[in-house]
Amino acid sequence: MVRGKIKDRHIYYRLFGLIFVMVLFGLIMVLSASSARAFDSTGDSYYYIKRQLISVAIGSVALLFFSQIPVRSLQKLALPAIIAAILMLFTVLIPELGKTTGGASRWIPIGGFRIQPSEFAKLAVILYTADFLTKRRKFLGDFKEIYPYSAVMILIILLVMKQPDMGTTLAICMAAFVMIFIGGFNLGYVIGIGTAGLITGAYLIYSASYRLERITAFLNPMADPLGKRWQIMQSLIAFGSGGLFGVGLGMSKQKYFYLPAAHTDFIFAIIGEELGLLGALFTISLFAFFAYYGIRVSFRCKDHFGRLLGAGLTSMIVLQALVNMGAVTAMLPITGIPMPFISYGGSSLIINLASAGILLSIAVENRREASSRRRGPKLFLVQDEKAKNRETTGKKRGIRRGLSKRLARSPNTRSKTSSKKSSTGTTKSKVRRVKASASGDKRRRNSRTRVPGSSSRRSSSKNKRRS
Amino acid sequence: MIRLNKRIARLGIVFITAFILLIVNLTYMQFIASAKLTAKPENIRPVLYERRIERGTIISADGKVLATSRKQDDSYTRVYPEGELAAHITGFYSSRYGRAGLELTYDDYLSGQSKVSSPDDYMKRLLGEEEPGNDLTLTLDMNLQSIASKALGLRKGAIVVLDPKTGAVLALVGWPRFDPNTLDDKWKSIAENPEGALLNRATQGRFTPGSSFKIVTAAAAIESGAVTPATVYEAPAQLKIYGGKVSNYGNKGFGRISFEEAFIKSVNTVFAQVGKNLGGQKLVDASEAFGINGEIPFDLPTAKSSVPEASEMDDLEVAWMAVGQGRAAVSPLMMALVGAAVANDGEIMQPYLVVKASERDGTAVFAREPRPWLCPISKNTAAVLKSLMEQVVAKGTGKSAQIPGVRVAGKTGTAEVGKGEPHAWFVGFAPVDNPEVIVAVIVENGGTGGSTAAPIAKQIIAALLGKNH
């Protein structure tokens, strides 16, 4: 049982470390990509990076805050959150309250900052969807069940599009769709919804792109002097000039106004130019790891809501990253989605960090839950007995090896936790429990006891030798 | 719960696929197609970068500024004081639509690129302390250019004026044209002009030469020795050849006439016989000797003038080609060079526009000496053709090019084109004893060469020689 705990702790710290690396990498790249524009428009090369640092500070608080909130409490927040999101989205459209610049009203000014409700709406939608699908999971065979939900969703999507903010609209739709898919809806319905969504989406993008381009061109004519094609061509030129190893950090030429939105939506192109293919692959690997950890956290979660929430948040961030990288590399149309954690943009960064906080909370929850189950009198461990037990089954299941290897690498954690546990437990009870689980409930074993927290000495020493 | 996990796993598979696609695409872009991407024409970094450099000035032979850079804030913008008059020569320089004309062909000099030779120069460039680009001095005479332009007026067509002794281009006019100063604003209407405002007709237009091509046919015939001006031909209104017929302009018969008279009156049926007797191969060889079917080495982009391969033509086609109809297509510059061969005793000088490129302090970094290009005909043949062409103006189809006190030689052309009026051609030079100028004129759908094109040439020759004498 202790194993589960250790493993989750691993994920927790790795995910945390990964997000730390992403944010740090993002700061470096924003500094590099924005310096020219910042100097040109404000006279201070560090203008954007200063603002971004403030956002990182706020975001970190959000991350730590949400990582401490139990998932069940989050579920209670789902309904208030969606209501708040809808209200904020309405507010932004009220001319007196929302900040309107050249036809696009996306921000509510508070103090010296502007918050972007559509970013908050992303998070709210995921919470709400997870909550809805959890509460209604018994009835999901019936298509009617989705009516009230889709009413809320359509309202939100319309409000975000009204701003207009195609990128966020797309992000919301993608995350919601993935959750509906995962949430256990009849696959036929899911495909139906997906196709309908794709067709509407294609139609909207096609019909609105002309207007949208005009709006953005009006907002900042220098940002897009030659239309979208210009942007994508400059982006490809950036990748091309980067080559294998890049032109060197800070040495990008494309950021000098050739590539519009170099520090926001197109930061990946600057990464490709300055750090080359290696830098780009590094960036991709960051998100690939994020996807891996995010999915693992969701996988491991016992709670239906937490699991859906984890999968939703993971897909929101990973899909945004994929769509962004796809657009910047000309594989997908340009939709105006920034790169999570990396791109400049306060609201987006804060919400993404908050989402990461929730993922961490789910990881903690897994651990909590694991340990709470163990807290019963039967749950304590005697290594020798159990190890024998493990070994026999362990050989049959290849999976254990890798896990025991990981344990072997961190003997400290193990001994610490096991000593803590053993102070409250007895040897006999543990043995009983292990036996029961080995012979008994298959599903349970699959999800939990399969994880070998304490492997045999022999196998761990074997692994040590190997490594 | 299990179904949930299965779907999460599927989501993972989707993610993995997307990541792999992304990695493959990136590897392709950054590793394999890297050079290709950097060389994209949309990579206007060099152009934008150059905006910080003061680009060289383009000056005409008579000291008029055709293109110059004016400083505006931190960058330079390109200004064309003469507007559209020299647009096809200077071309344009736009950060949006690239470069054309001399702005393109002499870009290295104008932008000062050709000067980077030492690390010091490179450092200076990085620090933004660049020397201005080189100035170009042209052979173009803006006074003549504007006279020629007025003579052509708003008729579709082109005029090429050369000095046959040096190959120097004195005027190069085409209509329609465009104003390079307003190119960026009016790009759509300029580029989409159905008449082709961006096309430099004088060098890039390809037209049926009509009777002006008879210079080439006559050159081939006289050069072969088979024909002299005195050779007599039967000149019916129509001539049946190989199941078809060649007819005279206006369906007029001339009876028995000499080759000389046939040239002066531009009699098709005689030239059809001459061509047929020569054979396709000799005619094509003679054309190629003048540079047709080849590239003209010039400072501006040129279109290739062409005649079909001899093996592709039957007798009828050869006969039609001898009179300048059929599949032959020539540029006005080519016809001017054909005339130049006659004027310059059989030798064509290489045409050029740019005399020199110099630094701001006057040091020449590039200077052009006139040099011969082709020698399609002998001196004797040239002399014979000269006298034939003189008589065309004296008493033949080119009478309207006569200038009192000046011996003008020329050949008209009336090129039948499927629909509408024929193209009017005139290729002429003056004075005959010591040619100083050769003019080639085409007016598209302008009528007969004698009535439309010859008077234009006359105005230009008169203006130039009147000034010189």
Side-chain angles (χ1 to χ4, degrees), chain B residues 227-380:
Chain B
V227 177
T228 67
T231 313
V232 175
Y233 289 88
E234 198 69 49
Q238 292 188 347
L239 187 71
K240 285 208 170 108
I241 297 174
Y242 200 68
K245 60 178 187 195
V246 173
S247 52
N248 286 334
Y249 188 75
N251 245 339
K252 207 169 138 194
F254 293 88
R256 279 178 68 82
I257 56 169
S258 68
F259 180 72
E260 183 175 15
E261 214 178 332
F263 189 88
I264 296 166
K265 293 183 178 158
S266 201
V267 180
N268 288 352
T269 47
V270 172
F271 274 82
Q273 293 168 61
V274 171
K276 198 184 136 207
N277 296 344
L278 274 175
Q281 193 58 53
K282 276 200 177 155
L283 211 51
V284 171
D285 288 348
S287 310
E288 286 178 352
F290 279 99
I292 293 172
N293 279 354
E295 299 287 342
I296 304 173
F298 191 49
D299 294 333
L300 291 175
T302 57
K304 197 160 137 184
S305 301
S306 62
V307 291
E309 292 287 323
S311 56
E312 289 175 9
M313 293 189 288
D314 56 29
D315 279 0
L316 182 66
E317 269 200 278
V318 171
W320 272 120
M321 183 184 146
V323 301
Q325 295 290 151
R327 282 189 280 159
V330 296
S331 66
L333 177 65
M334 188 68 241
M335 283 321 290
L337 294 172
V338 167
V342 178
N344 197 39
D345 297 334
E347 191 174 52
I348 305 179
M349 302 300 286
Q350 185 185 322
Y352 67 97
L353 256 171
V354 178
V355 180
K356 61 169 182 177
S358 50
E359 286 183 19
R360 274 293 136 88
D361 59 14
T363 325
V365 289
F366 163 85
R368 177 101 70 170
E369 293 297 327
R371 65 161 177 242
W373 177 46
L374 294 173
C375 200
I377 50 175
S378 69
K379 207 167 172 174
N380 288 338

Side-chain angles (χ1 to χ4, degrees), chain B residues 20-331:
Chain B
I20 288 173
L21 278 175
L22 205 57
I23 289 170
V24 169
N25 186 33
L26 263 175
T27 313
Y28 169 75
M29 283 200 314
Q30 299 207 264
F31 195 54
I32 298 159
S34 168
K36 212 171 76 195
L37 284 173
T38 326
K40 287 246 180 218
E42 284 87 351
N43 190 356
I44 60 149
R45 230 152 66 191
V47 175
L48 286 184
Y49 175 76
E50 279 170 19
R51 285 219 309 227
R52 289 189 283 135
I53 307 173
E54 187 179 357
R55 216 170 149 78
T57 301
I58 303 177
I59 308 158
S60 72
D62 48 347
K64 295 248 172 64
V65 173
L66 305 185
T68 186
S69 285
R70 282 206 191 125
K71 189 154 192 169
Q72 227 173 36
D73 303 326
D74 281 342
S75 67
Y76 288 92
T77 47
R78 203 69 171 146
V79 185
Y80 302 87
E82 297 290 329
E84 59 174 45
L85 193 52
H88 283 145
I89 296 150
T90 57
F92 54 80
Y93 179 80
S94 159
S95 54
R96 199 174 294 188
Y97 302 110
R99 287 156 268 201
L102 290 177
E103 296 275 25
L104 175 68
T105 48
Y106 279 79
D107 187 48
D108 282 357
Y109 287 104
L110 288 167
S111 61
Q113 298 278 334
S114 59
K115 277 193 303 189
V116 177
S117 49
S118 68
D120 271 8
D121 282 340
Y122 195 72
M123 277 309 290
K124 269 189 188 168
R125 167 154 297 174
L126 284 178
L127 294 168
E129 295 170 4
E130 273 126 326
E131 305 273 316
N134 298 327
D135 298 336
L136 296 185
T137 309
L138 306 188
T139 55
L140 202 71
D141 178 343
M142 280 313 280
N143 183 39
L144 199 66
Q145 176 85 356
S146 87
I147 289 167
S149 165
K150 269 182 208 135
L152 182 63
L154 303 185
R155 289 177 285 186
K156 261 198 297 171
I159 299 172
V160 178
V161 185
L162 300 174
D163 180 343
K165 286 181 201 152
T166 60
V169 175
L170 305 176
L172 206 59
V173 174
W175 179 269
R177 43 183 180 253
F178 63 96
D179 186 347
N181 292 308
T182 55
L183 185 90
D184 281 0
D185 306 330
K186 295 189 180 162
W187 175 259
K188 213 171 146 69
S189 68
I190 291 172
E192 286 170 9
N193 184 338
E195 314 292 358
L198 288 172
L199 179 76
N200 182 2
R201 285 179 153 66
T203 62
Q204 289 174 299
R206 290 169 85 250
F207 307 94
T208 304
S211 301
S212 59
F213 193 77
K214 284 174 186 158
I215 303 173
V216 177
T217 310
I222 295 164
E223 192 85 352
S224 74
V227 177
T228 67
T231 313
V232 175
Y233 289 88
E234 198 69 49
Q238 292 188 347
L239 187 71
K240 285 208 170 108
I241 297 174
Y242 200 68
K245 60 178 187 195
V246 173
S247 52
N248 286 334
Y249 188 75
N251 245 339
K252 207 169 138 194
F254 293 88
R256 279 178 68 82
I257 56 169
S258 68
F259 180 72
E260 183 175 15
E261 214 178 332
F263 189 88
I264 296 166
K265 293 183 178 158
S266 201
V267 180
N268 288 352
T269 47
V270 172
F271 274 82
Q273 293 168 61
V274 171
K276 198 184 136 207
N277 296 344
L278 274 175
Q281 193 58 53
K282 276 200 177 155
L283 211 51
V284 171
D285 288 348
S287 310
E288 286 178 352
F290 279 99
I292 293 172
N293 279 354
E295 299 287 342
I296 304 173
F298 191 49
D299 294 333
L300 291 175
T302 57
K304 197 160 137 184
S305 301
S306 62
V307 291
E309 292 287 323
S311 56
E312 289 175 9
M313 293 189 288
D314 56 29
D315 279 0
L316 182 66
E317 269 200 278
V318 171
W320 272 120
M321 183 184 146
V323 301
Q325 295 290 151
R327 282 189 280 159
V330 296
S331 66

Side-chain angles (χ1 to χ4, degrees), chain B residues 391-454:
Chain B
Q391 290 179 67
V392 168
V393 176
K395 53 185 183 184
T397 51
K399 278 182 199 155
S400 48
Q402 285 172 7
I403 302 168
V406 183
R407 290 171 63 194
V408 181
K411 180 75 193 81
T412 57
T414 305
E416 303 284 352
V417 283
K419 52 182 178 180
E421 289 283 295
H423 291 342
W425 277 95
F426 185 80
V427 180
F429 55 88
V432 171
D433 45 0
N434 181 24
E436 288 175 23
V437 59
I438 171 121
V439 181
V441 178
I442 179 175
V443 180
E444 284 176 53
N445 309 113
T448 62
S451 63
T452 310

Side-chain angles (χ1 to χ4, degrees), chain B residues 448-466:
Chain B
T448 62
S451 63
T452 310
I456 296 175
K458 174 190 165 179
Q459 285 181 53
I460 295 165
I461 294 170
L464 187 77
L465 297 185

Side-chain angles (χ1 to χ4, degrees), chain A residues 178 181-182 184-185 187 226 229-230 233-234 236-237 239-241 243-244 253-254 258 268 272-273 276-277 280-281 284 287-288 291 295 299 302 304 307 315 318-319 322 325-326 329 331, chain B residues 1-15 18-19 21-23 25-31 33-35 37-38 40-46 48-49 52 95-97:
Chain A
V178 167
F181 169 72
I182 294 172
F185 234 96
L187 204 58
L226 282 177
R229 198 181 120 72
W230 165 263
M233 284 320 307
Q234 295 306 318
L236 295 185
I237 290 166
F239 280 108
S241 13
L244 197 53
K253 300 241 167 54
Q254 289 296 81
Y258 302 108
F268 189 49
E273 188 189 4
L277 180 60
L281 291 183
I284 293 178
F287 286 103
I295 286 179
F299 237 93
K302 290 289 113 221
H304 195 89
R307 177 176 289 214
S315 3
V318 174
L319 282 174
L322 283 171
M325 293 189 279
T329 53
M331 292 168 82
Chain B
M1 216 42 132
I2 289 168
R3 188 160 71 168
L4 209 69
N5 267 349
K6 219 167 125 190
R7 290 197 173 174
I8 293 181
R10 282 190 197 155
L11 177 69
I13 291 166
V14 171
F15 284 169
F19 278 123
L21 278 175
L22 205 57
I23 289 170
N25 186 33
L26 263 175
T27 313
Y28 169 75
M29 283 200 314
Q30 299 207 264
F31 195 54
S34 168
L37 284 173
T38 326
K40 287 246 180 218
E42 284 87 351
N43 190 356
I44 60 149
R45 230 152 66 191
L48 286 184
Y49 175 76
R52 289 189 283 135
S95 54
R96 199 174 294 188
Y97 302 110

Side-chain angles (χ1 to χ4, degrees), chain A residues 304-368:
Chain A
H304 195 89
F305 174 75
R307 177 176 289 214
L308 273 171
L309 185 62
L313 293 171
T314 308
S315 3
M316 178 189 76
I317 288 173
V318 174
L319 282 174
Q320 282 190 81
L322 283 171
V323 170
N324 173 277
M325 293 189 279
V328 173
T329 53
M331 292 168 82
L332 295 172
I334 298 175
T335 38
I337 289 185
M339 188 178 242
F341 299 114
I342 314 271
S343 283
Y344 172 80
S347 297
S348 159
L349 181 67
I350 292 167
I351 292 300
N352 286 332
L353 282 172
S355 310
I358 295 175
L359 266 182
L360 289 173
S361 156
I362 298 170
V364 172
E365 194 87 352
N366 292 350
R367 188 174 72 181
R368 254 184 232 128

Side-chain angles (χ1 to χ4, degrees), chain A residues 113-426:
Chain A
F113 287 88
R114 305 185 301 185
I115 60 167
Q116 209 176 334
S118 55
E119 288 289 343
F120 176 71
K122 270 189 225 170
L123 188 52
V125 161
I126 289 168
L127 278 169
Y128 176 70
T129 310
D131 181 42
F132 168 81
L133 290 171
T134 309
K135 282 179 182 155
R136 293 276 161 188
R137 71 184 131 169
K138 297 279 185 309
F139 316 102
L140 289 183
D142 188 0
F143 194 73
K144 278 180 201 146
E145 277 302 316
I146 209 165
Y147 288 163
Y149 170 73
S150 38
V152 175
M153 284 302 294
I154 287 169
L155 175 64
I156 287 188
I157 288 167
L158 286 178
L159 283 171
V160 178
M161 273 173 61
K162 185 90 178 74
Q163 296 186 358
D165 188 344
M166 280 304 255
T168 312
T169 311
L170 187 67
I172 289 175
C173 292
M174 286 189 311
F177 177 72
V178 167
M179 290 177 76
I180 292 172
F181 169 72
I182 294 172
F185 234 96
N186 183 319
L187 204 58
Y189 295 160
V190 175
I191 292 168
I193 294 167
T195 328
L198 271 181
I199 293 168
T200 354
Y203 170 76
L204 282 174
I205 289 172
Y206 187 75
S207 67
S209 64
Y210 171 69
R211 268 174 289 155
L212 202 68
E213 265 169 58
R214 279 181 62 167
I215 288 162
T216 46
F218 179 70
L219 263 173
N220 188 357
M222 282 316 292
D224 195 7
L226 282 177
K228 297 287 177 207
R229 198 181 120 72
W230 165 263
Q231 218 171 8
I232 196 67
M233 284 320 307
Q234 295 306 318
S235 171
L236 295 185
I237 290 166
F239 280 108
S241 13
L244 197 53
F245 300 106
V247 296
L249 191 62
M251 302 297 282
S252 159
K253 300 241 167 54
Q254 289 296 81
K255 68 187 179 190
Y256 289 98
F257 317 112
Y258 302 108
L259 179 63
H263 59 302
T264 56
D265 295 1
F266 278 80
I267 197 159
F268 189 49
I270 301 295
I271 294 173
E273 188 189 4
E274 295 195 342
L275 305 176
L277 180 60
L278 294 182
L281 291 183
F282 171 71
T283 316
I284 293 178
S285 71
L286 288 178
F287 286 103
F289 272 116
F290 186 87
Y292 174 67
Y293 288 135
I295 286 179
R296 243 177 68 171
V297 166
S298 318
F299 237 93
R300 189 139 298 123
C301 185
K302 290 289 113 221
D303 177 46
H304 195 89
F305 174 75
R307 177 176 289 214
L308 273 171
L309 185 62
L313 293 171
T314 308
S315 3
M316 178 189 76
I317 288 173
V318 174
L319 282 174
Q320 282 190 81
L322 283 171
V323 170
N324 173 277
M325 293 189 279
V328 173
T329 53
M331 292 168 82
L332 295 172
I334 298 175
T335 38
I337 289 185
M339 188 178 242
F341 299 114
I342 314 271
S343 283
Y344 172 80
S347 297
S348 159
L349 181 67
I350 292 167
I351 292 300
N352 286 332
L353 282 172
S355 310
I358 295 175
L359 266 182
L360 289 173
S361 156
I362 298 170
V364 172
E365 194 87 352
N366 292 350
R367 188 174 72 181
R368 254 184 232 128
E369 204 168 305
S371 51
S372 75
R373 281 198 197 169
R374 280 171 223 134
R375 206 160 287 142
K378 296 172 184 178
L379 290 181
F380 298 98
L381 139 148
V382 173
Q383 296 210 335
D384 287 359
E385 297 274 341
K386 198 177 165 196
K388 277 176 194 164
N389 214 323
R390 280 289 137 200
E391 257 229 321
T392 44
T393 37
K395 275 180 182 166
K396 284 174 200 160
R397 294 164 183 262
I399 304 167
R400 293 213 185 129
R401 250 200 213 151
L403 297 171
S404 56
K405 187 174 160 189
R406 197 164 301 148
L407 276 166
R409 260 191 270 130
S410 54
N412 288 344
T413 7
R414 198 184 72 189
S415 62
K416 220 187 278 170
T417 46
S418 54
S419 67
K420 228 185 269 170
K421 289 302 158 195
S422 53
S423 66
T424 39
T426 65

